[in-house]
Amino acid sequence: MNILNLFKVSLKAVANNKMRSFLSMLGIIIGVAAVIIMMAIGQGSKESIRAELSTMGTNLLTIRPGADMRGGVRQDPSAMQTLKMADYQRILAEKKFVTKVSPEVTASGQVIYGNNNTTTTVYGESPDYLDIKQWTVEQGDCFTEEDIRKAAKVCVIGKTIVDELFGAGTNPIGKTIRFKSIPMRVVGVLKSKGYNSWGMDQDNVMIAPYSTVMKRIAAQTWFTSINCSAITEELSDAAIDELTQILRDNHKLKADADDDFTIRSQAEMMETMSTTMDTVTIILVVAAAFSLLVAGIGIMNIMLVSVTERTKEIGLRMSVGATGLVISIQFLIESILISLTGGLLGILLGCSVSEFIVPMAGMPSSVPAWSIYVSFLVCVFIGVLFGYIPAQKAARLDPIEAIRYE
């Protein structure tokens, strides 16, 4: 049995039926390309989200109200009032694994300057907030601790608000805008961050002293959240344990009582988003992989037709000494050739679309190398699996009956 000779015979048989062979490959081409594109989009989206979260600091910790039950009903975190000034002050006094702390109070509404207006969200923060969220003041400066003590009506605004209220390229420093009828003097402009992975405009933001927002705008005595920055990402868990103990002590919670707050780390958010994207990618890949199953059935169907058409040829080969094993291997090689060729073309198509067309559509894309290897192995598997039955049918033909076949 000469494998090289069998390969040449199989290659010639495939080449003699170019159109039929191509149509058999088409399902494999589309299936492999679809799988690679789906994997590329999933991987690209995951990397984009991780990069987006990283820009906010990988050691970011966020404390929010939570786990409060009243009359057997879980309360809405936004309506809970478990985070108070005393919590913020105690964290500042006792922190060891935390470097920066900023309480947060938010309010949404319309901001106005002259005849121009736009809708935005004002964030009441401490000066540490810019370091925690990795914001940079491009023009002017940030407000100070003195502004917080006086509840000064000052703010730092994003590029979108500058463009909407003053016009692109205008210097708004020192000018007074109004938020819910409260005059606020602009002391700084943030460096542009653009849109994030969720399509939200990060530059449509207004940051003011938390005391100003609490007293003059929101009229509340509690915080909607507290943002912290761990010393390093590796010490985030130690910082969470420290913050948990501080808040439980400050809230006088019993040992068997649930926390009335929740603490989330940026690393945890990254992991959650990665898991979610992996699940979505798997669903998309499974859906695309069904086309490979259909393609495999198509290859088996074409090979069965080929066996029927070449029955006399098979009989002649057997009559001059070809064994059933040789005939079986020949048809398996033909099946694998069709599958592999289609797979290689599918890989080429999938990579080309992922690298050039998908980014042009504004979607993140990153082709993982392992997806190419897996696609190649799957094509071999499909060639063997769906070529086995036609190969066995050819191998079991009776030579005499095959020669007589018309």
Side-chain angles (χ1 to χ4, degrees):
M1 180 174 61
N2 190 324
I3 296 295
L4 181 59
N5 186 54
L6 284 177
F7 179 80
K8 290 179 180 179
V9 171
S10 300
L11 186 60
K12 185 178 180 181
V14 172
N16 285 338
N17 296 280
K18 295 182 180 64
M19 181 56 68
R20 187 168 67 184
S21 298
F22 176 74
L23 292 175
S24 301
M25 295 175 190
L26 194 57
I28 296 290
I29 294 172
I30 295 173
V32 169
V35 168
I36 289 179
I37 292 169
M38 291 300 103
M39 286 184 176
I41 292 175
Q43 183 70 19
S45 299
K46 186 164 67 173
E47 291 176 1
S48 176
I49 290 171
R50 290 183 70 88
E52 188 69 45
L53 293 175
S54 294
T55 61
M56 294 187 288
T58 55
N59 54 346
L60 171 66
L61 304 174
T62 304
I63 308 171
R64 298 187 185 277
D68 189 25
M69 300 286 287
R70 296 180 186 176
V73 179
R74 188 173 298 280
Q75 301 298 303
D76 180 2
S78 63
M80 296 171 63
Q81 306 174 16
T82 56
L83 298 178
K84 301 293 184 70
M85 182 64 73
D87 297 321
Y88 170 54
Q89 292 173 340
R90 187 161 179 180
I91 290 172
L92 284 178
E94 299 182 13
K95 63 183 176 65
K96 294 179 180 177
F97 298 103
V98 172
T99 56
K100 304 286 185 179
V101 185
S102 176
E104 183 172 287
V105 184
T106 61
S108 296
Q110 196 174 63
V111 58
I112 303 170
Y113 178 77
N115 294 325
N116 299 322
N117 66 83
T118 187
T119 301
T120 189
T121 299
V122 60
Y123 291 83
E125 308 285 350
S126 77
D128 283 347
Y129 180 75
L130 299 187
D131 291 329
I132 293 172
K133 289 296 184 77
Q134 298 185 359
W135 278 101
T136 302
V137 177
E138 190 173 54
Q139 292 178 268
D141 207 346
C142 186
F143 50 83
T144 64
E145 290 291 344
E146 182 66 21
D147 293 325
I148 290 176
R149 282 192 291 271
K150 294 180 178 179
K153 292 180 281 188
V154 295
C155 65
V156 178
I157 58 177
K159 286 283 188 181
T160 298
I161 296 180
V162 174
D163 294 344
E164 292 289 337
L165 299 186
F166 304 99
T170 305
N171 184 0
I173 305 302
K175 296 181 180 180
T176 300
I177 60 179
R178 285 181 292 129
F179 183 87
K180 291 187 175 180
S181 76
I182 305 298
M184 306 283 284
R185 181 168 55 88
V186 179
V187 297
V189 176
L190 297 168
K191 185 177 181 180
S192 178
K193 281 192 174 185
Y195 286 82
N196 62 19
S197 300
W198 298 275
M200 297 175 60
D201 186 0
Q202 299 179 92
D203 298 324
N204 186 15
V205 64
M206 180 175 171
I207 304 174
Y210 66 83
S211 55
T212 304
V213 179
M214 289 177 74
K215 295 176 182 179
R216 302 180 187 276
I217 297 176
Q220 65 185 54
T221 59
W222 67 92
F223 300 124
T224 53
S225 65
I226 298 177
N227 297 302
C228 305
S229 180
I231 296 174
T232 63
E233 184 180 356
E234 291 72 24
L235 291 175
S236 292
D237 289 339
I240 290 174
D241 293 339
E242 176 184 72
L243 292 170
T244 300
Q245 192 58 51
I246 290 173
L247 291 174
R248 286 186 65 86
D249 290 345
N250 214 45
H251 294 180
K252 296 179 173 57
L253 297 176
K254 296 180 180 180
D256 58 347
D258 292 335
D259 296 337
D260 58 357
F261 56 88
T262 56
I263 304 176
R264 293 287 182 265
S265 67
Q266 198 74 333
E268 185 179 351
M269 290 179 63
M270 285 184 179
E271 187 62 32
T272 300
M273 292 303 299
S274 293
T275 302
T276 302
M277 288 308 304
D278 285 341
T279 302
V280 173
T281 301
I282 289 172
I283 293 172
L284 293 174
V285 168
V286 168
F290 272 106
S291 61
L292 287 176
L293 177 62
V294 174
I297 294 172
I299 289 176
M300 182 172 65
N301 183 49
I302 291 298
M303 294 305 298
L304 286 171
V305 171
S306 180
V307 170
T308 302
E309 290 180 346
R310 294 158 62 189
T311 299
K312 183 172 288 189
E313 174 195 331
I314 294 169
L316 288 171
R317 287 174 60 81
M318 285 183 168
S319 67
V320 295
T323 63
L325 178 61
V326 170
I327 299 297
S328 177
I329 291 176
Q330 177 188 334
F331 278 88
L332 272 177
I333 291 174
E334 288 182 27
S335 176
I336 293 172
L337 273 175
I338 292 173
S339 181
L340 273 184
T341 304
L344 291 174
L345 292 174
I347 290 172
L348 181 62
L349 176 63
C351 291
S352 300
V353 172
S354 300
E355 290 296 327
F356 301 107
I357 298 178
V358 173
M360 289 174 61
M363 300 176 67
S365 176
S366 176
V367 180
W370 59 265
S371 67
I372 297 175
Y373 305 141
V374 170
S375 298
F376 184 82
L377 293 175
V378 167
C379 290
V380 174
F381 176 75
I382 288 175
V384 173
L385 178 65
F386 291 97
Y388 179 78
I389 293 177
Q392 288 299 303
K393 179 181 178 181
R396 291 170 182 166
L397 288 176
D398 182 88
I400 296 176
E401 294 296 327
I403 292 173
R404 290 176 179 174
Y405 182 80
E406 294 294 338

